[in-house]
Amino acid sequence: MNKVKTSSEKSVSTSSRTMSLLSQLEKINVDSVLGEADNARYVTSKILHLVQSQEKTRKEMTAKGSTGIEVILSTLENTKDHQTILNILNILIEVVSVGGGRRASVLVTKGGTQILLQLLLTASKDSPPNEELMVLLHTLLAKIGPKDKKIGMKARINGALNISLNLVKQNLQNHRLILPCLQVLRVYSTNSVNAVSLGKNGVVELMFKIIGPFSKKNTSLMKVALDTLAALLKSKTNARRAVDRGYVEVLLTIYIDWHRHDSRHRYMLIRKGVLQCIKSVTTIKLGRKAFIDANGMKILYNTSQECLAVRTLDPLVNTSSLIMRKCFPKNRLPLPTIKSAFHFQLPVIPASGPVAQLYNLPPDVDDVVDESDDNDDAETESEIEIENDDDKDQIFKNDDIETDINKLKPRQELGRSIEDLKMYEHFFPELSENFQECDLVSKEPKPFVPDANLGGPIVVPTAGEEHSAEVNQSTKGVILKESNPLLTEEYNRRPAFLELPKKDSIKDSSSSHQQNDQRNLLPSCQCLSQEIVEGLDKITLQNSAKNDPYCDTGCVIKKESKTSLTTLACNKPCEHVSPCGNSLFEGSSVQLGKLCCTGVDSEEEDSKSSSSGEQIVLEVSDVSPVHDCDLYIEMVKTTKSIPEYSEVAYPDYFGHIPPPYKEPILERPYGVQRTKIAQDIERLIHQSDIIDRVVYDLDNLSCSVSEEADVLKFNSKFESGNLRKVIQIRKNEYDLILNSDINSNHYHQWFYFEVSGMKTGIGYRFNIINCEKSNSQFNYGMQPLMYSVQEALNSRPCWTRVGTDICYYKNHFSRSSIAAGGQKGKSYYTITFTVTFQHKDDVCYFAYHYPYTYSTLKMHLQKLESMHNPQQIYFRQDILCETLAGNSCPLVTITAMPESSYYEHICQFRNRPYIFLSARVHPGETNASWVMKGTLEYLMSNNPSAQCLRESYIFKIIPMLNPDGVINGNHRCSLSGEDLNRQWQNPNPDLHPTIYHAKGLLQYLAAIKRLPLVYCDYHGHSRKKNVFMYGCSIKETMWHTNVNAVSSDLMEDPGYRALPKILSQTAPAFCMGSCSFVVEKSKESTARVVVWREIGVQRSYTMESTLCGCDQGKYKGLQIGTRELEEMGAKFCVGLLRLKRMASPLEFSLPSNLLDIENELIESSCKVTSPTTYVLDEDEPRFLEEVDYSAESNDDQDIELADNAGDYEVPNQEDGLSDSDSTRVLLS
């Protein structure tokens, strides 16, 4: 206790002593008595002693409410005594040296900067100036300067700007004095006006007198001089001056010298300082040219490669990489035009907008490149300084949020007359149907009778075979015959939520199967499931009696009991591949691509010397009851494409089964991005190593490549395909260029193409070089998809995530201002990935996401219609309208048949509330179609809860709003060249027929007072993880603006949150924390906002599904697949059933057994976190994941984004992705 007391007494004593001294000093200031100078000198020396010896005193002086700093500054301002001034400066230096920037900020707020600058001006008038005073003044200014945003302007107004510069000029050998002077000049130079002014007075030339070759002497001075020079050279005027005097080459020489001599890497900061100067000077075009002329690319490339072995030198490698990328000469895309390779003449040309500009371009304009890069040297620096006092302290504000309360209030506006809307009456026969002629007695499902027209033999071109007198003898083919599945008990087991009526085609002869007949005849699911996949794994290669893989002229498939198998006949091994596009069958214009049938595995290649008259057995599973190879071909025949495709991609023909294994989000290897960038830079340095051979070109169909073993073959001439041009860069590296959306000159992101002619054991690098989005989930673990035909023939027909060394970064191909919407100096981005193929001479397909074609949709709808029980399910398929290309847009109606034709049952049927769903307005968002597939199959299933759902609602579904875009491989637009999800406010019936009539259906329902309970538009999201929703709320929108007072008085039904909350509890992939209910100005013409605002549907949503994977819940750390997407579609339906129960608990009661089924579906839940996230352009919320700076951009404005991002929490799962902590920023 005594020790504590003693300590306490000492503390009080010290505190009271400090306060006493400050009081004395304050009294001296007030009295201003002659002869008090000695007292002031004495008091300040005592305070200095306390400050130097005790941290408590330093804290006390800057504590809140303390007047210590004011007293000290007042004394400094008034005293003329030299020693007192020195004491006070030392006191202030001690105070701000410890404790971070807060104490320096206190000094600034008390007016310290102005007093110090005035003192500097006064002291400079002495001849010669007092060295000690100048050292202390500059030391203090250098410490507080970074905390005073206006110090540059204050110094210029006070006339203090050139004092420090002159001191340096006059005392070049006095390192003690010029070191703090240089630090102050560095602070001044952050102001561009000051930098220009100092440059005119010779500061750039002065810096080059101080910096020099390697020396162990004065390294601190060298470092500060380099930092000052780097700040000065950010001014374009100073950078131009440095270039004119040949300083770029000098900097490179200095860098090489330090690099060679600093073998122990003790002076990395100096080496980095030189690089920062080079980075600043290469901001201007003249600087970049001087850098290239001085062989800078090769110098930095070689030095950075030598630094790779030492991890601590990463900052040098990363800065070198930034400089080289910036200086890499901008290339034009090797295209004749950035407009699509396909042309479609619009029936009506819009009066304004991008499409109108496209049509009005003169024919001889080069739209691929312009001279935008030449404009960056224009002198734009103004002598008028704009002061932004609190910009960096302000919380990020989204100007896109709608703030006009009148615009936010929903106002039901039909926009069309009742008479006009009557044209939609025939799409709602359920509102007038009396069912008098329908047999509604039995609700048992009818046995499904297979369509006799389905399942016939087709011919797939492969090796040579004479198979028909009608077919040309040169036609080669494989015969496929479909058989019915033999359903075992294992095959019958299905998840409850995915049950569909099954074909009644069980033919069992054994007693064991007869015992299971009763179970097999029960309705069960034929959707994709784990059991099918497990069954497929048991399918093996079957040889003929001769036990030789090449027997006679054909392949015969043996039937196994697990799944339906297909017979493939081929007459030869695949050395002689038939050309792409042989006739599929007699009189048909539909063709399949080449099929390499060399055997299902490499072991088979050893048998090629055997007799050509032997057999090989291959097996292809019937992947799904809603996938029918023959029916798909029939659907393709009626699909109209602009290029008039005649080929069918094998993945679309064979179908897809989700792989039986999990596909984790890929962990990004350290340094992968800079390695790829270095390889790109090698193209410039070692140009002789570049092959630069065009191997595929839609613009030059006569482009042919000799049959060389070392060249891959490409194709994209099939439905939904997108690949415009391929250039072989190195032996195993290819640059790929995507096609623009038709009637557009951008939107490059979706890709789907075929590759063949590969070898095994070789890593092939693919670079897609004309992507446009500034970032991608490819930087955060997403992989592209690949489909192997060889694997499909080996009974594994599935899309799988593949690729290593994946990254997405800005490249050196420039976008013209025409392509960038008027913005100049924009670049394209590269997706790069490396693939090693498993099979030689395979045929593989690559895609951005799981393809889902228009023909696939038609096939699925037809299969669902043929398989449903019409006594139980009301299913109707209409054609809403025709698209611009003449394709039909399907409209599906699903509900339950009435219990009987009695009046009460018919009334209940007609009065069911509507649910309106749509999907695939953006063609590249194929995941939306897979979610829709899950919804449709659930609604058509025999699941008891699905039946309750059908009895509760009438579903109106438009599963594909943009068929033309999907068919022709567009990423975002329709044939009109416009984003259809920005046309809902005022759709044109000629240019946007699907939107015009979809809105018309909703307007009709509003007119007859039958507003849908829910509207949901299914989308995909390229830059976020999980599945989430966007909704509409006036109050939540107001919360994010400055009109909080208004929002507090608003009354709003919170029911719009119910469905997302339900989904967060029932759907594993759904995340409530990513949902947003904010209405933005840029989204006022989207389906979600228009249906909410004009039609009056409160629960109007966009449901976004990730293209990548999940970072929460059951699927955390996994990439998303079709199984999870289809499950999401089914869980959406379950959510609607829950919504019904919440909305009317008395009217709707569920049997206890159904409750059990529903409870089983609640497998995981998400924590509800922040209610909203900001939503910016392209339906994408603010992207907060951490990005390696070199992945993003070299533009200065991108660096500034970091200042505004500090208020956001960075997701933890992305922490390890950056190549270097020293080069991280947040992408806003």
Side-chain angles (χ1 to χ4, degrees):
M1 288 296 293
N2 290 337
K3 287 183 180 179
V4 173
K5 186 176 180 182
T6 304
S7 175
S8 176
E9 285 174 354
K10 185 177 181 181
S11 174
V12 170
S13 173
T14 304
S15 173
S16 58
R17 188 176 179 189
T18 306
M19 298 309 297
S20 172
L21 289 170
L22 287 170
S23 297
Q24 290 180 45
L25 194 59
E26 187 175 13
K27 186 177 180 183
I28 292 169
N29 290 337
V30 172
D31 295 345
S32 299
V33 180
L34 291 173
E36 288 292 329
D38 291 341
N39 287 341
R41 196 180 307 139
Y42 171 78
V43 171
T44 52
S45 65
K46 289 292 182 182
I47 295 173
L48 176 60
H49 174 72
L50 288 172
V51 168
Q52 287 174 333
S53 58
Q54 297 179 7
E55 167 64 14
K56 180 172 175 57
T57 305
R58 294 193 288 269
K59 281 184 179 177
E60 209 172 81
M61 291 188 66
T62 55
K64 194 172 183 179
S66 170
T67 58
I69 293 293
E70 285 101 321
V71 172
I72 293 289
L73 288 175
S74 175
T75 306
L76 180 63
E77 190 174 17
N78 296 321
T79 187
K80 305 296 182 185
D81 182 66
H82 179 71
Q83 188 59 47
T84 303
I85 292 173
L86 294 180
N87 287 345
I88 291 174
L89 291 176
N90 277 308
I91 291 170
L92 293 175
I93 289 171
E94 289 292 335
V95 167
V96 300
S97 293
V98 185
R102 193 193 69 80
R103 294 181 186 177
S105 297
V106 170
L107 197 56
V108 170
T109 55
K110 305 294 185 183
T113 309
Q114 196 69 36
I115 293 170
L116 292 173
L117 288 172
Q118 189 58 46
L119 183 59
L120 177 63
L121 192 63
T122 304
S124 67
K125 294 175 182 177
D126 296 342
S127 183
N130 184 279
E131 180 180 325
E132 183 67 23
L133 179 58
M134 285 300 181
V135 168
L136 292 176
L137 270 173
H138 281 89
T139 302
L140 189 54
L141 281 169
K143 288 182 180 297
I144 70 169
K147 292 296 175 182
D148 188 346
K149 297 172 190 174
K150 293 186 178 181
I151 189 170
M153 184 184 68
K154 291 173 182 175
R156 193 169 63 251
I157 292 173
N158 273 26
L161 199 59
N162 288 321
I163 294 172
S164 304
L165 178 58
N166 291 331
L167 277 174
V168 176
K169 286 180 178 179
Q170 294 161 12
N171 299 274
L172 276 176
Q173 303 307 315
N174 188 344
H175 297 154
R176 179 174 177 268
L177 175 58
I178 67 172
L179 181 64
C181 290
L182 288 175
Q183 291 173 328
V184 171
L185 287 175
R186 181 179 59 189
V187 173
Y188 290 164
S189 300
T190 56
N191 179 293
S192 61
V193 181
N194 287 350
V196 172
S197 176
L198 289 168
K200 290 176 181 177
N201 289 322
V203 70
V204 175
E205 294 81 355
L206 184 64
M207 291 302 105
F208 278 94
K209 291 180 181 179
I210 299 173
I211 65 175
F214 177 79
S215 171
K216 293 183 179 180
K217 296 179 181 179
N218 305 317
T219 53
S220 297
L221 184 64
M222 176 79 170
K223 174 67 177 67
V224 174
L226 286 167
D227 290 346
T228 306
L229 180 60
L232 287 163
L233 292 178
K234 286 183 179 178
S235 155
K236 292 180 180 178
T237 305
N238 290 340
R240 195 175 297 110
R241 183 176 283 109
V243 173
D244 292 342
R245 285 160 178 73
Y247 289 150
V248 174
E249 190 170 359
V250 173
L251 286 169
L252 287 167
T253 305
I254 292 173
Y255 182 71
I256 294 171
D257 192 61
W258 281 86
H259 173 79
R260 286 175 181 166
H261 290 93
D262 185 22
S263 55
R264 296 190 178 183
H265 313 303
R266 292 178 177 175
Y267 306 110
M268 189 190 76
L269 291 178
I270 290 179
R271 291 157 68 182
K272 188 177 179 186
V274 180
L275 289 176
Q276 291 292 349
C277 293
I278 297 172
K279 182 183 170 190
S280 295
V281 81
T282 51
T283 302
I284 63 171
K285 187 175 182 181
L286 282 174
R288 294 192 288 273
K289 185 177 183 302
F291 177 82
I292 295 289
D293 293 343
N295 206 19
M297 294 291 280
K298 193 168 185 177
I299 291 169
L300 290 196
Y301 174 80
N302 291 335
T303 54
S304 61
Q305 293 302 299
E306 291 168 12
C307 292
L308 285 176
V310 184
R311 192 79 172 256
T312 54
L313 298 182
D314 278 356
L316 302 183
V317 177
N318 292 332
T319 308
S320 296
S321 177
L322 286 173
I323 295 167
M324 289 186 286
R325 290 179 63 201
K326 186 192 297 186
C327 296
F328 202 117
K330 289 287 185 182
N331 289 357
R332 65 173 283 148
L333 279 177
L335 294 175
T337 173
I338 51 171
K339 289 181 287 193
S340 173
F342 308 130
H343 177 69
F344 177 79
Q345 183 62 41
L346 292 176
V348 179
I349 309 299
S352 60
V355 180
Q357 293 172 11
L358 201 69
Y359 272 82
N360 292 329
L361 277 179
D364 56 341
V365 167
D366 183 358
D367 61 352
V368 180
V369 73
D370 55 27
E371 299 302 316
S372 59
D373 194 44
D374 292 337
N375 298 327
D376 67 351
D377 287 348
E379 185 60 59
T380 57
E381 296 168 67
S382 170
E383 294 298 327
I384 302 171
E385 184 174 2
I386 299 171
E387 300 295 339
N388 297 315
D389 292 346
D390 303 312
D391 282 356
K392 293 185 180 180
D393 299 327
Q394 289 180 351
I395 296 175
F396 171 78
K397 180 184 176 183
N398 184 353
D399 293 330
D400 192 32
I401 296 177
E402 183 58 77
T403 57
D404 188 339
I405 190 75
N406 295 318
K407 288 185 178 180
L408 282 173
K409 288 180 180 176
R411 54 186 191 283
Q412 193 168 331
E413 297 176 351
L414 291 182
R416 294 167 67 179
S417 67
I418 301 296
E419 289 300 316
D420 188 21
L421 291 173
K422 280 186 178 178
M423 64 183 288
Y424 299 107
E425 187 175 0
H426 72 279
F427 290 113
F428 299 89
E430 64 272 10
L431 297 179
S432 56
E433 176 69 64
N434 57 23
F435 298 98
Q436 296 303 314
E437 298 179 3
C438 297
D439 178 14
L440 300 175
V441 178
S442 173
K443 294 185 70 176
E444 292 300 316
K446 288 186 179 180
F448 177 75
V449 181
D451 191 338
N453 294 325
L454 305 182
I458 66 171
V459 177
V460 184
T462 115
E465 176 194 10
E466 296 180 11
H467 49 73
S468 170
E470 290 81 10
V471 181
N472 189 294
Q473 290 186 356
S474 64
T475 305
K476 318 295 193 274
V478 173
I479 298 174
L480 294 112
K481 291 183 180 177
E482 187 178 295
S483 69
N484 293 324
L486 188 62
L487 302 172
T488 63
E489 183 176 348
E490 182 184 11
Y491 184 73
N492 269 303
R493 293 204 313 270
R494 294 292 178 272
F497 71 91
L498 283 178
E499 291 192 359
L500 282 174
K502 185 176 291 183
K503 297 180 182 180
D504 185 18
S505 57
I506 303 168
K507 302 177 182 178
D508 297 337
S509 56
S510 67
S511 58
S512 61
H513 284 157
Q514 288 172 359
Q515 292 171 5
N516 291 326
D517 275 354
Q518 186 64 34
R519 180 173 296 178
N520 286 336
L521 286 169
L522 290 174
S524 95
C525 171
Q526 271 203 331
C527 287
L528 307 181
S529 70
Q530 188 68 27
E531 286 76 20
I532 292 179
V533 175
E534 289 171 355
L536 281 173
D537 286 343
K538 299 173 185 176
I539 299 172
T540 57
L541 186 70
Q542 302 288 329
N543 290 336
S544 66
K546 294 187 179 182
N547 246 352
D548 199 293
Y550 293 101
C551 179
D552 208 328
T553 58
C555 305
V556 179
I557 307 285
K558 290 189 177 178
K559 310 288 196 290
E560 293 292 323
S561 62
K562 289 294 177 188
T563 55
S564 166
L565 304 177
T566 309
T567 300
L568 286 173
C570 85
N571 66 331
K572 291 182 183 178
C574 186
E575 306 99 325
H576 309 293
V577 177
S578 67
C580 249
N582 284 338
S583 291
L584 189 63
F585 33 62
E586 300 173 44
S588 170
S589 61
V590 180
Q591 304 164 353
L592 280 171
K594 54 184 176 293
L595 174 61
C596 295
C597 187
T598 59
V600 294
D601 221 327
S602 58
E603 298 89 49
E604 300 303 327
E605 295 173 13
D606 299 331
S607 308
K608 289 186 179 180
S609 59
S610 305
S611 165
S612 62
E614 297 170 343
Q615 283 193 356
I616 180 175
V617 178
L618 299 175
E619 298 171 348
V620 178
S621 64
D622 180 12
V623 296
S624 164
V626 292
H627 188 92
D628 185 311
C629 301
D630 301 344
L631 181 57
Y632 184 80
I633 296 299
E634 292 301 316
M635 296 298 102
V636 169
K637 290 179 182 179
T638 59
T639 297
K640 300 172 183 176
S641 63
I642 302 309
E644 299 181 351
Y645 293 132
S646 60
E647 299 173 26
V648 173
Y650 275 98
D652 305 323
Y653 172 76
F654 282 135
H656 158 75
I657 289 182
Y661 46 83
K662 295 177 180 178
E663 296 181 293
I665 290 172
L666 194 68
E667 186 175 345
R668 174 164 161 161
Y670 180 82
V672 60
Q673 181 171 264
R674 68 183 185 198
T675 302
K676 297 300 178 186
I677 292 168
Q679 290 171 2
D680 286 353
I681 290 165
E682 286 172 9
R683 297 188 188 189
L684 186 67
I685 298 172
H686 307 299
Q687 296 185 18
S688 58
D689 295 343
I690 304 304
I691 298 172
D692 199 27
R693 172 169 47 191
V694 177
V695 297
Y696 180 74
D697 192 355
L698 282 183
D699 295 292
N700 180 16
L701 297 177
S702 61
C703 168
S704 61
V705 180
S706 58
E707 295 294 324
E708 296 180 28
D710 290 345
V711 179
L712 295 179
K713 299 170 184 63
F714 294 82
N715 182 32
S716 62
K717 296 189 282 288
F718 47 79
E719 186 175 350
S720 292
N722 190 319
L723 179 64
R724 181 170 187 166
K725 190 171 186 176
V726 181
I727 302 166
Q728 186 182 20
I729 299 300
R730 299 180 178 96
K731 184 177 179 182
N732 300 314
E733 181 179 356
Y734 297 84
D735 278 359
L736 283 61
I737 300 175
L738 304 180
N739 197 19
S740 301
D741 287 3
I742 293 176
N743 276 317
S744 169
N745 54 21
H746 52 181
Y747 297 120
H748 312 100
Q749 209 80 15
W750 166 257
F751 58 87
Y752 183 18
F753 58 88
E754 173 195 287
V755 179
S756 59
M758 64 284 291
K759 293 181 179 180
T760 56
I762 296 174
Y764 291 92
R765 179 181 171 186
F766 300 96
N767 310 308
I768 299 173
I769 62 173
N770 65 329
C771 299
E772 293 176 337
K773 291 197 175 184
S774 60
N775 210 337
S776 166
Q777 284 289 323
F778 282 117
N779 271 338
Y780 304 106
M782 185 168 87
Q783 294 173 282
L785 286 145
M786 188 184 85
Y787 190 104
S788 164
V789 173
Q790 195 71 277
E791 287 292 300
L793 296 178
N794 201 14
S795 304
R796 288 185 290 273
C798 60
W799 286 98
T800 56
R801 302 274 187 173
V802 297
T804 57
D805 295 345
I806 301 170
C807 58
Y808 187 97
Y809 59 91
K810 189 180 235 183
N811 62 33
H812 55 275
F813 291 100
S814 62
R815 291 164 65 184
S816 67
S817 59
I818 296 172
Q823 299 180 67
K824 294 186 175 182
K826 289 283 185 180
S827 293
Y828 287 106
Y829 292 80
T830 292
I831 300 169
T832 181
F833 56 93
T834 301
V835 176
T836 303
F837 297 98
Q838 295 181 6
H839 304 286
K840 182 182 178 183
D841 292 328
D842 197 356
V843 177
C844 293
Y845 292 79
F846 290 94
Y848 182 59
H849 198 66
Y850 300 94
Y852 191 102
T853 65
Y854 172 68
S855 298
T856 300
L857 172 68
K858 291 194 295 182
M859 174 193 67
H860 282 165
L861 291 178
Q862 186 156 330
K863 290 292 285 185
L864 287 172
E865 184 169 14
S866 66
M867 293 165 67
H868 87 285
N869 179 0
Q871 291 180 317
Q872 188 174 345
I873 302 174
Y874 180 97
F875 179 95
R876 177 184 171 91
Q877 186 179 169
D878 293 295
I879 296 174
L880 175 64
C881 62
E882 280 200 347
T883 65
L884 292 177
N887 293 292
S888 59
C889 179
L891 170 66
V892 176
T893 306
I894 301 174
T895 188
M897 292 293 282
E899 205 169 316
S900 73
S901 56
Y902 291 130
Y903 175 77
E904 293 82 358
H905 293 151
I906 298 298
C907 278
Q908 191 277 338
F909 174 87
R910 293 179 181 174
N911 287 308
R912 293 169 188 167
Y914 276 94
I915 302 289
F916 203 108
L917 307 177
S918 59
R920 206 66 185 282
V921 71
H922 295 145
E925 296 167 8
T926 57
N927 46 358
S929 283
W930 288 99
V931 176
M932 180 58 78
K933 179 175 182 282
T935 294
L936 288 168
E937 289 182 3
Y938 182 90
L939 290 175
M940 296 295 288
S941 72
N942 278 342
N943 188 299
S945 59
Q947 177 62 20
C948 287
L949 192 60
R950 290 191 295 266
E951 291 170 357
S952 304
Y953 300 114
I954 300 173
F955 288 85
K956 284 287 179 187
I957 301 173
I958 306 175
M960 193 171 283
L961 277 166
N962 190 355
D964 288 346
V966 171
I967 293 165
N968 294 287
N970 283 7
H971 175 66
R972 197 168 180 89
C973 300
S974 70
L975 292 186
S976 70
E978 297 166 298
D979 181 347
L980 291 182
N981 202 35
R982 296 295 185 277
Q983 310 304 324
W984 278 79
Q985 261 189 334
N986 189 27
N988 184 306
D990 296 316
L991 293 175
H992 326 115
T994 59
I995 305 302
Y996 180 82
H997 293 296
K999 186 177 181 181
L1001 293 176
L1002 289 159
Q1003 289 170 323
Y1004 175 78
L1005 286 173
I1008 63 171
K1009 311 299 181 188
R1010 293 294 300 272
L1011 274 182
L1013 177 69
V1014 171
Y1015 171 78
C1016 189
D1017 191 21
Y1018 293 2
H1019 281 253
H1021 206 290
S1022 68
R1023 295 200 289 182
K1024 287 195 74 178
K1025 291 182 171 67
N1026 309 310
V1027 180
F1028 50 94
M1029 278 180 154
Y1030 297 148
C1032 301
S1033 162
I1034 303 177
K1035 197 154 191 171
E1036 292 199 32
T1037 303
M1038 288 292 125
W1039 280 340
H1040 289 84
T1041 65
N1042 295 324
V1043 284
N1044 293 325
V1046 177
S1047 65
S1048 62
D1049 299 331
L1050 282 173
M1051 296 299 292
E1052 185 176 42
D1053 183 356
Y1056 64 89
R1057 275 184 163 269
L1059 184 56
K1061 282 186 177 179
I1062 292 168
L1063 292 176
S1064 72
Q1065 296 170 354
T1066 58
F1070 194 90
C1071 180
M1072 186 71 185
S1074 295
C1075 294
S1076 169
F1077 305 94
V1078 174
V1079 180
E1080 308 85 4
K1081 298 171 187 174
S1082 62
K1083 307 298 185 299
E1084 64 181 5
S1085 196
T1086 60
R1088 164 177 63 102
V1089 177
V1090 170
V1091 172
W1092 171 71
R1093 183 182 288 165
E1094 293 184 22
I1095 309 297
V1097 179
Q1098 185 202 22
R1099 295 182 175 92
S1100 178
Y1101 306 103
T1102 297
M1103 186 162 74
E1104 300 272 0
S1105 301
T1106 179
L1107 291 164
C1108 177
C1110 298
D1111 58 16
Q1112 52 80 46
K1114 175 180 171 183
Y1115 302 129
K1116 182 177 181 179
L1118 299 178
Q1119 294 186 77
I1120 204 158
T1122 56
R1123 182 186 288 110
E1124 292 76 30
L1125 292 169
E1126 290 184 51
E1127 178 194 58
M1128 186 65 237
K1131 294 293 179 76
F1132 180 82
C1133 297
V1134 175
L1136 291 173
L1137 193 57
R1138 286 283 192 89
L1139 187 67
K1140 175 70 174 178
R1141 291 173 56 198
M1142 289 173 63
S1144 49
L1146 297 178
E1147 173 194 338
F1148 188 76
S1149 59
L1150 296 174
S1152 58
N1153 64 330
L1154 182 57
L1155 289 175
D1156 293 338
I1157 293 171
E1158 249 191 275
N1159 288 332
E1160 288 173 9
L1161 293 170
I1162 307 173
E1163 296 159 353
S1164 65
S1165 63
C1166 307
K1167 291 182 180 179
V1168 177
T1169 56
S1170 60
T1172 61
T1173 52
Y1174 284 114
V1175 184
L1176 296 181
D1177 290 342
E1178 299 182 2
D1179 291 334
E1180 299 194 354
R1182 191 172 176 80
F1183 186 59
L1184 306 180
E1185 294 170 324
E1186 214 162 10
V1187 182
D1188 180 354
Y1189 172 55
S1190 55
E1192 173 49 20
S1193 174
N1194 297 323
D1195 300 336
D1196 289 339
Q1197 61 264 34
D1198 290 328
I1199 302 173
E1200 294 168 7
L1201 294 173
D1203 296 330
N1204 293 328
D1207 299 301
Y1208 293 87
E1209 183 179 348
V1210 180
N1212 293 330
Q1213 71 276 9
E1214 312 296 0
D1215 284 350
L1217 296 178
S1218 211
D1219 283 355
S1220 169
D1221 288 344
S1222 65
T1223 56
R1224 287 179 172 181
V1225 298
L1226 292 173
L1227 171 65
S1228 295

